[in-house]
Amino acid sequence: MASIARRCLFSSYRSARRISSRSVSQPAKQWQRSLSCTTARRADKAPWDQAENEEGEDLSEQEARWAQLAEDVSKIDPKFQARAAMKYLDDFEMVEEEDYEIAKDDPKAIAQGFWGEGEEEDGGPDEDYYGDDITSLGHGELEQHRELREYARLAAWELPLLSQLAKPFQLPTAATPFRFRYTSYLGEKHPAANKVVVEYSVADMPDMNQKQRDKLIKLAGPRYNPGSGIIKMSCEMFDTQDQNKRFLGETIKKLLDEAKDLKEDFSDVPFDFRHHKLKVRPQFPAEWALTPERKQYLEEKRRKQQQIDYERDNLGTLTDGKKIIEQALPNILPSMPEMVAAPNQRLRR
Amino acid sequence: MSSSICLRRLPQLSSESSIHSSIGSRNLLSSTQTSSFSTSTARFASPLMKKKTGQVAAPKRGAKTLNVKKGRGGSGRDTGRKPAIGERKALRKRIVLSNTNALEVPTLQDLTKDNVLDKAVEGKVMGIPGEVVDALRAVEAFKTSQGWSLFRRPAALMRKETVQIAELVKQVEAGEAKAKQTIRKVLVGDKMSGKSTLVLQGLMIALLRNWVVINLPDAKDIVLGHTEYAPLPGSTPTQYYQETYTATLLSQIAKANSEILSKIQVTSKPALPIPTPPKLNLLKLAELGAANPEASWPVFVALWKELTLPGRPPIMMAIDNLAHVMRNSEYLSADAKPVHAHDLTIVRHFVDHLSGTKTLPNGGIILAAETKSNSPACPALDYSIQLAEARQLGREVLPEWNPYKVVDMRVMECLRNMEVLRSNGLSKEEARAIMEYYAASGMLRAKVDAPFVSERWTLAGQGNIGELERASVRARI
């Protein structure tokens, strides 16, 4: 019969280990292979002596702990001690020494796993699945859920902070006539992410007279929109936005320099706006709008017409196609021959 | 299953095709489209299909069998007569000017020499007198697309535009003997808005007023390349004349204007390649040209010369489908270049008068009508019409030529100063007049009152006359 203290200590091991030893969490630091597999030798001690000594030390240490414990226990009020022991004995009727033996894990149950318990075994054991976990589909679901939560957290906590970075909109001045457009795909890779587009109005270009502006429009070709008077250029030749923007800037500079140079002013070349289709918006003429006056005028007109028609109808001068045909038909159609019953042939037979 | 070609012939066949590949390629119809060696027909033949046994029991004697096979002896054989050559075209081009089932309109008045220029006829439907109908038929002024076959006899509405033409006729006649006016007008307007009918009415007025009438009924016929042509000797740059077409034109002129032409004697001595009788009137001259196509063009020139001598009647010249003569014709020159329509003598003759480079000494009117249903794209003509209209309306901003369109400078030059007469939709009063005529002819079974007229006028796209006829006479709703 083991002492109460011993029982208390070992009671935690009483239940069978359901969770496989393989699933026991490993320390974060991986075991690292030492450079040599032989134990390190030390000059002062022989290796076998060392092993013995260490064991002896360990034992004495354990004994000391046990002694300490026994002493602590003896210090506890004997009444209380007896009650606790009795209670423990009542709950767990562990009398025999065998009761304290730890049950071995059933290797078959381990192989089958928790989820496969009671299931018929088919095929070999799943290499990746140890029966201690939910399925990969479940993991996927969980992962998605985690991700959603992460973004929900971002939306709730981080996004409001972006407003601190907002700058108040300021109208572009005459000094900044170029409007650049960059495209961000929010961290994703995209073939058009390096594209830069610039738009500028020809009328906003400083220090240019009409001839130079005309030349600029002619040089811009189909990039010029005659409806809005805006030239739109884009570049995605290079890998980065900066390079593309630089190229655009240089091109615009060259274009403006060329337009300002009136040695050749292209006055003999007509504007070519074939690329631009004017959007025709048909509109009803203003005279057709049904104003109250016009409504009244129309009603008056219709009433007069009706009156005239009524009078003509009474006089018999209103042309009625149906009547004319009815009157004309008897004169046109030849009189129908009178039908005479033929003698009954059957009777004659 | 047998293969499509006897296998023994296979090597022979391949060698044949390789040798005579050029011959084989020309004869597209006779060559079979199947490849010479193919098993796909057999492989993909439906297994459900029954094999032809060829052992159908013969029908019993006396039993009637159904034979729907085409070919000899079959019941489905086409026993109808095949149409003769040209018969279908004649049917297609037939002009029917009378409908015996339509009622005669008792109130219909005929136009006369006196009342045709009267303002009082405006907005009335007037009958066309018989002799004028004959003359108009001779010059092919009636078109199959027009609704003459719906009514008892030809009659036309004297619409606003017709009265405008009558005014022009009056203007020409009122001119002094020395300075007679030559008026040139191009009739434009929407599809089915009555442009060809306006030409017809112009010719009608001219015939009633004893003018000489020359009509080119469809410009497409001149440039189509269906009549023979030859370079005109001594012309630089080379012009081309069309013997047959000119001969037909001369015969039409002779038929339509026989009364006037027969009264005029040839005074000058025309140098013609054919022997001519000593005493000759213009009718005889024209008939001579019609009978001898090889001399038709010199005869036409001589006739024109006679007609433009002082003291001769005014001339009305008209052409329909103008856009066809404002481009290259289908004829080729000696160096296989397309001949411009203006290089054809008849077209040149007309165009010179239309552009104003030549005038009519005795006065006259040149009418040209564009067509919206069968006309080639002619940007120069479209632009000239826009420009002329803007000019006539006194617009300050004139339309600009699109410099990126191909310009035909000859056409631009020709139409530089042209005047336009737009045929718009009918007014409601005019619509009512013609609908009353429809009803009186028994072709419209409805009471013609203001709401009905208004409805059909609106349906016809603000009184487009062709659409109005469609909506009220042709449509059976």
Side-chain angles (χ1 to χ4, degrees):
Chain A
M1 173 102 191
S3 68
I4 291 168
R6 194 175 166 77
R7 284 180 182 186
C8 282
L9 269 171
F10 285 102
S11 66
S12 62
Y13 284 111
R14 202 186 144 255
S15 58
R17 272 189 175 175
R18 266 284 138 81
I19 297 168
S20 145
S21 55
R22 277 184 286 182
S23 76
V24 172
S25 64
Q26 297 291 321
K29 202 187 171 197
Q30 287 282 312
W31 172 80
Q32 283 182 336
R33 186 197 184 93
S34 58
L35 287 171
S36 167
C37 57
T38 51
T39 42
R41 293 187 179 185
R42 293 188 183 161
D44 49 346
K45 276 179 190 169
W48 48 91
D49 288 349
Q50 195 185 359
E52 269 178 14
N53 277 3
E54 274 174 5
E55 252 172 42
E57 251 177 40
D58 279 356
L59 279 174
S60 61
E61 200 174 293
Q62 223 167 19
E63 273 167 12
R65 275 187 199 163
W66 281 116
Q68 181 70 39
L69 185 67
E71 198 182 327
D72 288 348
V73 168
S74 65
K75 274 180 189 167
I76 301 168
D77 184 22
K79 228 186 198 170
F80 180 79
Q81 200 181 18
R83 216 190 304 152
M86 283 312 289
K87 193 167 186 272
Y88 196 85
L89 285 173
D90 289 348
D91 287 351
F92 308 98
E93 287 173 6
M94 288 191 279
V95 197
E96 300 296 315
E97 189 67 28
E98 295 81 61
D99 289 338
Y100 293 92
E101 274 177 17
I102 296 162
K104 290 280 177 213
D105 287 342
D106 181 12
K108 203 180 170 190
I110 290 166
Q112 210 172 23
F114 179 76
W115 300 104
E117 214 165 28
E119 296 272 329
E120 271 185 300
E121 271 192 8
D122 52 337
D126 189 353
E127 289 294 322
D128 300 330
Y129 182 60
Y130 301 120
D132 54 348
D133 203 358
I134 57 171
T135 58
S136 57
L137 201 70
H139 271 297
E141 289 278 332
L142 279 178
E143 190 56 40
Q144 201 180 4
H145 206 80
R146 271 181 220 118
E147 202 173 19
L148 280 175
R149 285 187 167 196
E150 191 190 341
Y151 282 114
R153 274 197 301 279
L154 279 176
W157 299 104
E158 307 270 318
L159 294 192
L161 301 180
L162 286 179
S163 66
Q164 293 171 3
L165 301 174
K167 289 176 194 165
F169 174 70
Q170 282 181 342
L171 276 172
T173 58
T176 54
F178 299 106
R179 182 167 63 187
F180 284 93
R181 194 192 78 197
Y182 317 95
T183 319
S184 159
Y185 291 85
L186 297 176
E188 280 182 33
K189 269 200 171 178
H190 194 279
N194 56 343
K195 182 173 178 171
V196 180
V197 183
V198 63
E199 285 182 330
Y200 55 96
S201 171
V202 175
D204 289 347
M205 294 298 106
D207 311 328
M208 284 181 100
N209 59 26
Q210 195 52 47
K211 263 195 174 176
Q212 290 166 332
R213 290 206 175 108
D214 288 354
K215 189 179 174 186
L216 177 62
I217 289 169
K218 281 166 193 172
L219 289 175
R223 289 173 185 80
Y224 176 71
N225 181 349
S228 56
I230 283 175
I231 294 176
K232 182 178 180 180
M233 297 158 69
S234 71
C235 181
E236 48 181 334
M237 262 197 306
F238 304 105
D239 289 340
T240 62
Q241 277 185 342
D242 297 333
Q243 282 171 308
N244 283 324
K245 188 177 177 181
R246 160 68 58 195
F247 180 82
L248 280 178
E250 281 166 2
T251 313
I252 289 170
K253 188 172 182 310
K254 268 189 259 172
L255 201 58
L256 289 177
D257 288 347
E258 194 61 43
K260 280 174 185 167
D261 178 19
L262 281 181
K263 256 182 223 162
E264 165 67 87
D265 60 352
F266 288 120
S267 55
D268 54 335
V269 178
F271 286 109
D272 186 1
F273 297 147
R274 280 175 294 177
H275 57 275
H276 184 73
K277 274 247 167 67
L278 263 182
K279 199 173 187 179
V280 183
R281 290 194 170 200
Q283 277 186 327
F284 291 122
E287 306 89 64
W288 288 15
L290 274 181
T291 54
E293 298 86 50
R294 182 158 170 79
K295 269 185 192 168
Q296 200 185 346
Y297 162 77
L298 285 174
E299 265 165 28
E300 186 70 15
K301 196 177 159 190
R302 278 175 201 148
R303 204 182 50 74
K304 271 184 193 166
Q305 277 287 355
Q306 212 175 356
Q307 183 72 23
I308 293 167
D309 279 348
Y310 180 73
E311 282 166 14
R312 283 183 68 181
D313 205 6
N314 284 349
L315 286 171
T317 51
L318 191 72
T319 320
D320 188 345
K322 275 182 197 164
K323 256 187 211 167
I324 286 169
I325 291 168
E326 274 166 22
Q327 286 166 2
L329 271 180
N331 305 331
I332 291 169
L333 289 179
S335 56
M336 296 291 275
E338 210 171 297
M339 305 296 268
V340 181
N344 202 329
Q345 289 191 344
R346 255 187 216 167
L347 280 178
R348 217 166 39 169
R349 261 184 211 171
Chain B
M1 187 80 198
S2 60
S3 66
S4 57
I5 288 172
C6 177
L7 286 176
R8 262 181 289 167
R9 278 205 64 211
L10 191 64
Q12 222 178 327
L13 196 79
S14 60
S15 64
E16 265 174 27
S17 66
S18 63
I19 294 163
H20 306 297
S21 59
S22 60
I23 297 171
S25 67
R26 283 190 202 171
N27 200 351
L28 282 172
L29 286 172
S30 67
S31 67
T32 49
Q33 291 297 309
T34 52
S35 59
S36 55
F37 185 76
S38 165
T39 56
S40 28
T41 8
R43 198 184 299 163
F44 297 116
S46 168
L48 293 174
M49 222 153 59
K50 260 192 178 177
K51 276 186 182 173
K52 278 180 192 169
T53 50
Q55 292 177 345
V56 182
K60 280 179 188 171
R61 184 175 287 181
K64 273 201 167 182
T65 53
L66 177 67
N67 186 4
V68 287
K69 272 187 221 156
K70 281 185 180 174
R72 291 179 67 201
S75 67
R77 193 174 154 212
D78 188 11
T79 51
R81 189 181 60 85
K82 288 269 160 60
I85 293 167
E87 192 183 335
R88 280 178 289 195
K89 186 178 183 184
L91 206 65
R92 201 171 66 234
K93 300 268 174 187
R94 193 175 52 154
I95 304 290
V96 181
L97 297 181
S98 173
N99 174 13
T100 47
N101 288 324
L103 302 176
E104 208 149 351
V105 183
T107 54
L108 186 67
Q109 286 179 322
D110 266 8
L111 284 170
T112 60
K113 189 182 176 182
D114 304 318
N115 72 3
V116 71
L117 298 186
D118 200 350
K119 271 261 179 186
V121 295
E122 182 173 352
K124 283 185 189 169
V125 177
M126 303 296 279
I128 305 173
E131 59 273 23
V132 176
V133 170
D134 291 343
L136 287 176
R137 198 195 257 277
V139 296
E140 293 181 33
F142 295 107
K143 297 280 164 69
T144 46
S145 54
Q146 295 161 349
W148 305 107
S149 62
L150 294 167
F151 306 101
R152 189 74 169 201
R153 47 172 294 228
L157 173 73
M158 298 298 281
R159 53 193 288 190
K160 199 178 82 198
E161 290 81 6
T162 318
V163 175
Q164 280 178 14
I165 293 176
E167 282 296 313
L168 297 178
V169 170
K170 213 191 269 181
Q171 214 175 310
V172 170
E173 286 182 353
E176 284 177 29
K178 283 277 169 72
K180 290 270 192 185
Q181 259 187 306
T182 307
I183 291 168
R184 300 167 283 120
K185 287 275 176 194
V186 176
L187 302 176
V188 298
D190 295 334
K191 199 174 177 181
M192 292 174 75
S193 62
K195 298 178 290 291
S196 296
T197 313
L198 266 180
V199 169
L200 178 136
Q201 284 180 319
L203 295 172
M204 176 189 76
I205 296 167
L207 285 165
L208 280 168
R209 300 298 299 177
N210 293 331
W211 286 25
V212 173
V213 161
I214 297 171
N215 183 33
L216 304 174
D218 193 349
K220 191 182 169 189
D221 293 340
I222 312 173
V223 296
L224 197 57
H226 283 196
T227 57
E228 62 257 50
Y229 69 115
L232 188 69
S235 58
T236 43
T238 318
Q239 289 183 40
Y240 297 84
Y241 70 100
Q242 292 146 292
E243 286 176 352
T244 325
Y245 192 90
T246 317
T248 321
L249 182 66
L250 280 174
S251 83
Q252 287 184 0
I253 294 170
K255 262 187 218 161
N257 309 293
S258 54
E259 208 175 307
I260 312 160
L261 294 183
S262 60
K263 285 178 193 159
I264 305 171
Q265 293 294 320
V266 176
T267 51
S268 62
K269 272 238 158 229
L272 296 177
I274 45 168
T276 50
K279 271 215 157 186
L280 200 62
N281 62 25
L282 289 190
L283 179 65
K284 283 272 161 57
L285 182 68
E287 280 169 352
L288 209 63
N292 302 291
E294 69 279 4
S296 59
W297 180 248
V299 168
F300 183 83
V301 172
L303 181 71
W304 188 260
K305 205 176 164 193
E306 285 294 323
L307 284 173
T308 47
L309 290 177
R312 301 285 154 87
I315 296 170
M316 166 81 80
M317 276 211 297
I319 192 169
D320 205 342
N321 216 343
L322 182 68
H324 276 281
V325 291
M326 294 298 166
R327 63 204 282 259
N328 281 336
S329 71
E330 296 295 320
Y331 294 105
L332 294 181
S333 66
D335 23 312
K337 296 261 169 57
V339 173
H340 196 275
H342 290 190
D343 284 336
L344 301 170
T345 48
I346 293 175
V347 177
R348 164 64 73 90
H349 177 80
F350 185 89
V351 155
D352 279 348
H353 288 91
L354 183 68
S355 61
T357 48
K358 285 184 187 167
T359 53
L360 302 166
N362 300 313
I365 296 178
I366 318 290
L367 278 185
E370 63 155 6
T371 307
K372 282 287 163 69
S373 45
N374 173 29
S375 62
C378 186
L381 178 63
D382 294 343
Y383 170 72
S384 303
I385 289 170
Q386 279 177 12
L387 189 68
E389 278 202 307
R391 228 188 288 128
Q392 269 165 248
L393 291 170
R395 295 241 170 88
E396 286 178 6
V397 184
L398 296 178
E400 282 180 17
W401 171 254
N402 181 352
Y404 290 95
K405 275 187 180 169
V406 178
V407 60
D408 191 343
M409 275 321 287
R410 295 181 77 169
V411 174
M412 289 290 249
E413 281 299 317
C414 159
L415 301 172
R416 184 178 288 275
N417 299 315
M418 75 172 193
E419 284 173 32
V420 164
L421 179 62
R422 181 166 280 276
S423 96
N424 294 314
L426 301 180
S427 68
K428 282 200 181 165
E429 290 73 36
E430 286 170 336
R432 184 169 191 144
I434 198 154
M435 283 171 80
E436 279 175 354
Y437 172 71
Y438 294 156
S441 299
M443 300 303 292
L444 180 62
R445 286 169 189 256
K447 193 186 265 185
V448 184
D449 52 5
F452 181 74
V453 170
S454 190
E455 180 202 318
R456 292 301 151 98
W457 181 86
T458 311
L459 272 180
Q462 298 205 328
N464 184 313
I465 187 161
E467 297 288 351
L468 190 72
E469 189 186 274
R470 237 186 216 175
S472 46
V473 182
R474 292 182 194 260
R476 294 265 171 267
I477 307 160

